[in-house]
Amino acid sequence: MIVILLGPPGAGKGTQAQRIEKMQGLVQLSTGDMLRAAVIANTEVGKKAKGFMEAGRLVTDKIVIKIIEDRIQEGDCKKGFLLDGFPRTLTQAKALDNMLDQKSLKLDAVVEIQVDDRDLVDRIIGRYTCTNCNQGYHGENLKPKVDGVCDDCGSTNFKRRVDDNQETVSSRLEAYHCQTAPLLPYYEEQGVLKVVNGMVDIDDVSVQINDVLSSLN
């Protein structure tokens, strides 16, 4: 199964991606993580990506698609994978489709987590992660079971993203609506778009997504 998770910043994509990985047995693929791994491994495409990153430039779509192509050929992706944070634009979506088509693969579902913009600022400003295992938390909506202790690994060290502030969030939301929102009609036309209500409890969002994906099996 091949799944894309869409939604504006703060919609909870990272949290839900981790849960889908466990519930559905899919491999969560983050383009940021894959880029860093390719650079560290010093692969051919990693060398190209490193040049852009060191120059302070955005890595080209062609390089990102190649990194995804290389990654999905690894054994752990045989059962399927979940793309979190990619594609972001219609151009990237079409390039991804072309690559998958060349591999005789196709998207099974594009899950959009629908949320209200006004709720996102509070969500983003309040979120933080475990420094050790990157498990996500929120100051109001998703606290550790034991205050100050990560549920997953027991670490007591946490971090917040420096760009999780109102000004930056507003800018990212604007970028999402301008660039990424046009993906929705594109995938709806393909018949793969599935919409879930992201305004409910995190566990309820997980149930919705799991129900959608389980119906495809």
Side-chain angles (χ1 to χ4, degrees), residues 12 32 38 41 46 56 64 75 77 87 90 108 119 140 144 160-161 166 178 180 199 209 214:
V64 175
C77 289
L90 196 54
D108 292 284
D119 186 56
E140 296 296 329
R160 294 180 185 271
R161 286 174 48 164
Q166 187 161 355
C178 289
T180 307
M199 299 300 296
I209 297 174
S214 294

Side-chain angles (χ1 to χ4, degrees), residues 128 137 142-152 154-156 158:
Y128 59 98
Y137 296 97
L142 186 62
K143 298 179 181 179
K145 293 174 184 176
V146 177
D147 188 37
V149 181
C150 177
D151 295 342
D152 277 14
S155 172
T156 57
F158 298 90

Side-chain angles (χ1 to χ4, degrees), residues 18 51 102 120 168 187 191 217:
Q18 291 175 355
Q102 290 171 11
L120 290 179
T168 303
Y187 286 126
N217 289 328

Side-chain angles (χ1 to χ4, degrees), residues 63-182:
I63 289 175
V64 175
I65 291 292
K66 178 59 179 171
I67 284 177
I68 295 173
E69 180 181 358
D70 290 348
R71 179 66 180 85
I72 64 176
Q73 294 181 73
E74 295 181 22
D76 60 345
C77 289
K78 285 184 178 179
K79 184 177 178 180
F81 56 89
L82 166 73
L83 281 169
D84 169 25
F86 189 90
R88 295 178 185 269
T89 67
L90 196 54
T91 299
Q92 291 175 348
K94 291 178 178 179
L96 177 64
D97 279 349
N98 288 336
M99 184 272 285
L100 292 175
D101 187 56
Q102 290 171 11
K103 300 285 182 187
S104 297
L105 299 172
K106 67 178 183 64
L107 283 172
D108 292 284
V110 176
V111 179
E112 180 203 3
I113 303 176
Q114 252 185 14
V115 291
D116 186 278
D117 279 8
R118 290 172 296 182
D119 186 56
L120 290 179
V121 175
D122 289 338
R123 283 194 183 190
I124 294 175
I125 291 176
R127 68 185 182 182
Y128 59 98
T129 59
C130 172
T131 306
N132 184 55
C133 70
N134 284 324
Q135 174 62 41
Y137 296 97
H138 190 278
E140 296 296 329
N141 305 324
L142 186 62
K143 298 179 181 179
K145 293 174 184 176
V146 177
D147 188 37
V149 181
C150 177
D151 295 342
D152 277 14
C153 71
S155 172
T156 57
N157 296 316
F158 298 90
K159 61 184 177 182
R160 294 180 185 271
R161 286 174 48 164
V162 293
D163 58 348
D164 280 353
N165 57 73
Q166 187 161 355
E167 183 179 353
T168 303
V169 170
S170 298
S171 176
R172 289 167 62 196
L173 279 173
E174 184 179 352
Y176 173 79
H177 288 302
C178 289
Q179 297 178 356
T180 307

